[in-house]
Amino acid sequence: MFRAMHSDDTAVETGAAAIARRLASAILRGQYPPQSLLPGEIELATQFGASRTSVREALKSLSAKGLILSRKKAGTSVRPRADWQMLDRDLLALRLEIGPEHSFATDLLALRQAIEPAAAAAAAQFQDKAAIAVIAGAFAEMEAASHDRKRFVDPDLRFHKAILAASGNEFMMAFGAMIEAGLAAFITISLRHTEAPAPSVPLHHNILKAIEAADPDAARTAMETLLSRTKSNINQDLA
Amino acid sequence: MFRAMHSDDTAVETGAAAIARRLASAILRGQYPPQSLLPGEIELATQFGASRTSVREALKSLSAKGLILSRKKAGTSVRPRADWQMLDRDLLALRLEIGPEHSFATDLLALRQAIEPAAAAAAAQFQDKAAIAVIAGAFAEMEAASHDRKRFVDPDLRFHKAILAASGNEFMMAFGAMIEAGLAAFITISLRHTEAPAPSVPLHHNILKAIEAADPDAARTAMETLLSRTKSNINQDLA
DNA sequence: TAATGCTTTATGTCTGACATAAACGCAATC
DNA sequence: GATTGCGTTTATGTCAGACATAAAGCATTA
């Protein structure tokens, strides 16, 4: 049999988690279109060189994410796209791996434009001092890294997540993965766009100031401004 | 042993799906707080009167929803709330079963106020004729049921889902479950509020007209108006 | 004190078997 | 001919017991 000789190989991964990833990837890429039937569990087990137990655990994961539905005798079929948990962390990460299309980046940005201004306004209203301090801390690190595109990414992400957390709305807090994927897609697509992130620093500062000043409308507007700029950057890079 | 004599009983359900529901419910209710350890798989199996296989498949489901994390030797622990896939269909449904708190309804409504106006505007811009026809169809049924609070719910839900579908944004389409839970929570909380839904019909009509007229701003405004009214209804009922 | 190695333990995987229910085909019937 | 009813088939669902694996905890040692 063919087996990996050393650990850091491109060898075929095994285990339920890997099977789940590979199956999910195949479904996301359209290899198994909605309504179609997956191979039976036994056949999948031989395909992946694993036991039926592991295959079943992998299928359970996909089922929990709304990708598939198993029924006795009928087999396991792919559910319609409308049922997929599109904002699931793992699914978003997978789509980034597969290679984000343009609509992936633009649709995610449109969603950010709906959520984040509302979250910023809510944070300005809610006035959770500890959470606002986290925003301020992230902003300080952004300033410090404002001339290093690579180091900038991490505090930038933390800044936006901290605003979600400060909104006081538990459902808005669930969009961290979406922002992460949105930023990553933006970076992937606009690789040429190597200008330093410095210009966006004052835009972020305006958001922070408005939240600290307990001014919801200003916070909403400032966030809208920042995201509009991101949008025009994307469009510019696609041109 | 105590066993159900007839099928429609309150007997303890068995099977991986039931175990997953009961464990998820326990976690959501705070019986196993974040960072805490769940009982081992073998102990869970005896607790639920099932095999370790079924327990493991149930745990896989919860893991896919971000509720738990299993590590060798260390056991299975509850992840921080920020990692939970709060907008997951099943989790939302579970929280409705458990009994929606007030913050559940109000937080969901705040999210709707962020998403749906944007979706309506996008639908007005995108102009997918077939999808818009679906909205119109749902609206016609709403009109027909405008004096029957019970019959009104279903086309109402379809109306809002159809707008998400017409937005042309695949991520916005993923919020159907959220709207469903939001409506259900509203109904649960405002049971006393038995007035006929007739007053909301013209508000819905305004949204439809704006989308058909390809007027994004009007569509956004009309949706905002409708949701503000819903919000004041909730506040009124809680007073 | 800190590094090392052994033991323990809970999850991870495998195997083979049986249970269950829904789809299918066939036959009897209207 | 269309339909109903009933076994048969088959793929998922569950079970049991065993072994693999890796990380945590402890004891030992430099």
Side-chain angles (χ1 to χ4, degrees), chain A residues 48-119:
Chain A
F48 288 110
S51 67
R52 208 186 133 210
T53 308
S54 296
V55 169
R56 279 186 60 79
E57 289 190 357
L59 291 177
K60 275 286 173 194
S61 295
L62 304 200
S63 183
K65 294 184 188 307
L67 290 182
I68 60 174
L69 181 68
S70 295
R71 283 180 327 177
K72 280 182 181 170
K73 167 69 182 176
T76 300
S77 57
V78 178
R79 292 175 67 173
R81 278 181 82 91
D83 292 342
W84 299 359
Q85 305 283 328
M86 228 40 120
L87 295 163
D88 176 272
R89 232 186 315 280
D90 303 321
L91 294 186
L92 286 173
L94 259 182
R95 294 189 56 168
L96 280 174
E97 272 184 37
I98 292 172
E101 322 91 280
H102 295 160
S103 74
F104 182 76
T106 54
D107 281 4
L108 269 182
L109 183 64
L111 194 55
R112 289 186 64 187
Q113 288 183 303
I115 300 280
E116 295 199 67

Side-chain angles (χ1 to χ4, degrees), chain A residues 64-65 83 89 95 170, chain B residues 64-65 83 89 95 170:
Chain A
K65 294 184 188 307
D83 292 342
R89 232 186 315 280
R95 294 189 56 168
E170 64 171 329
Chain B
K65 294 185 187 306
D83 292 341
R89 232 187 315 280
R95 295 190 55 169
E170 64 171 330

Side-chain angles (χ1 to χ4, degrees), chain B residues 3 29 62:
Chain B
R3 287 210 111 206
R29 283 186 295 181
L62 304 200

Side-chain angles (χ1 to χ4, degrees), chain B residues 105-173:
Chain B
T106 54
D107 282 5
L108 269 182
L109 183 63
L111 193 55
R112 289 186 65 187
Q113 287 182 304
I115 299 280
E116 295 199 67
Q125 180 128 44
F126 195 59
Q127 285 296 307
D128 177 337
K129 298 298 183 192
I132 293 175
V134 176
I135 306 175
F139 176 73
E141 291 186 51
M142 289 171 73
E143 269 189 312
S146 63
H147 294 287
D148 185 337
R149 193 173 165 73
K150 252 187 164 170
R151 266 182 54 212
F152 191 79
V153 175
D154 187 57
D156 188 14
L157 177 59
R158 285 212 309 282
F159 179 88
H160 288 273
K161 279 186 177 175
I163 289 176
L164 295 178
S167 72
N169 184 323
E170 64 171 330
F171 296 106
M172 290 194 178
M173 299 180 197

